[in-house]
Amino acid sequence: MTDTSRLSELDRFSSLSDAEVRLIASRGTAVHIPANWSLIWEKTPADKAYIILDGRVSVRRGAEEVAQLGPGDTVGESAIVAHRLRSANVVSITELDVLHFTSQAVQELIDEVPTFRAALEQTTRERLGQG
């Protein structure tokens, strides 16, 4: 299965057009990550983000787990958008298949694909308990 078809099957991105999904997938790099791997570190610069295609991650502040995320979820994007340091650590619980994005790619997609921006905004609202 291609990254494009995997992305379009995720609920968060199912309303996007085929062209939008292809554009998003083309800006990311498919990466396979082993279990127990740190993807993002608290209080570090926001230089990358991920869309989880398969697998689960733990989001931790200090030693406390604050969330578990899985397919369709994004991680790392809010610090890029807000131009701030990371607010949590993200560690793979299982093996992961993700699309990896540079901070520049995230900014470009937000500007070029309004539905991508809307998906990220919905994620932020849900994480803040406003969704």
Side-chain angles (χ1 to χ4, degrees), residues 50-107:
Y50 301 92
I51 297 175
I52 301 171
L53 299 173
D54 190 38
R56 298 205 56 79
V57 299
S58 172
V59 180
R60 303 170 183 168
R61 289 200 178 103
E64 179 185 353
E65 181 176 81
V66 295
Q68 285 192 15
L69 303 174
D73 287 317
T74 55
V75 293
E77 78 293 338
S78 59
I80 291 172
V81 172
H83 304 287
R84 63 177 192 223
L85 296 178
R86 304 288 187 184
S87 61
N89 298 304
V90 178
V91 178
S92 60
I93 298 171
T94 65
E95 289 187 14
L96 298 175
D97 288 317
V98 299
L99 283 176
H100 168 273
F101 297 89
T102 64
S103 57
Q104 179 179 343
V106 171
Q107 290 290 355

Side-chain angles (χ1 to χ4, degrees), residues 16 20 108-121:
L16 276 64
E20 290 169 327
E108 290 170 357
L109 286 168
I110 286 170
D111 293 340
E112 295 172 23
V113 185
T115 48
F116 182 75
R117 176 190 291 269
L120 295 185
E121 289 171 349

